[in-house]
Amino acid sequence: MNANTSAWNQRHLLHALREFEQFYNAHRSHQGIANARPLHPLPEPITDPDETASLDIHRTDRLGGLLHEYQHAA
């Protein structure tokens, strides 16, 4: 499902809504509250400039690329 596709049926629509709800509550950063996710505590700030220079970020697409999750690689 992408931005130009509508839901095929009720099952497809409910799947898309569940995906978005999970993304919104668990992964999406919330700019208005210091990038905290609603169901998680605030992350510890990175204060060492050397740490930010070596961040390895991985992107995962959801809902056919409509939503993007970003995570620090281990």
Side-chain angles (χ1 to χ4, degrees):
M1 185 167 158
N2 62 40
N4 297 322
T5 305
S6 52
W8 300 320
N9 54 37
Q10 183 179 8
R11 182 176 176 214
H12 187 234
L13 176 62
L14 291 174
H15 167 74
L17 291 173
R18 278 191 301 271
E19 282 285 314
F20 182 77
E21 179 184 30
Q22 183 181 21
F23 171 78
Y24 187 87
N25 289 325
H27 297 282
R28 179 182 170 268
S29 63
H30 293 265
Q31 299 295 323
I33 50 176
N35 291 330
R37 298 172 293 172
L39 303 178
H40 297 276
L42 284 172
E44 290 295 321
I46 298 175
T47 56
D48 182 7
D50 292 332
E51 279 187 55
T52 59
S54 64
L55 292 177
D56 187 13
I57 307 294
H58 288 199
R59 183 177 104 177
T60 303
D61 291 340
R62 293 178 73 169
L63 278 178
L66 200 60
L67 305 173
H68 309 289
E69 295 175 1
Y70 298 90
Q71 297 178 352
H72 295 280

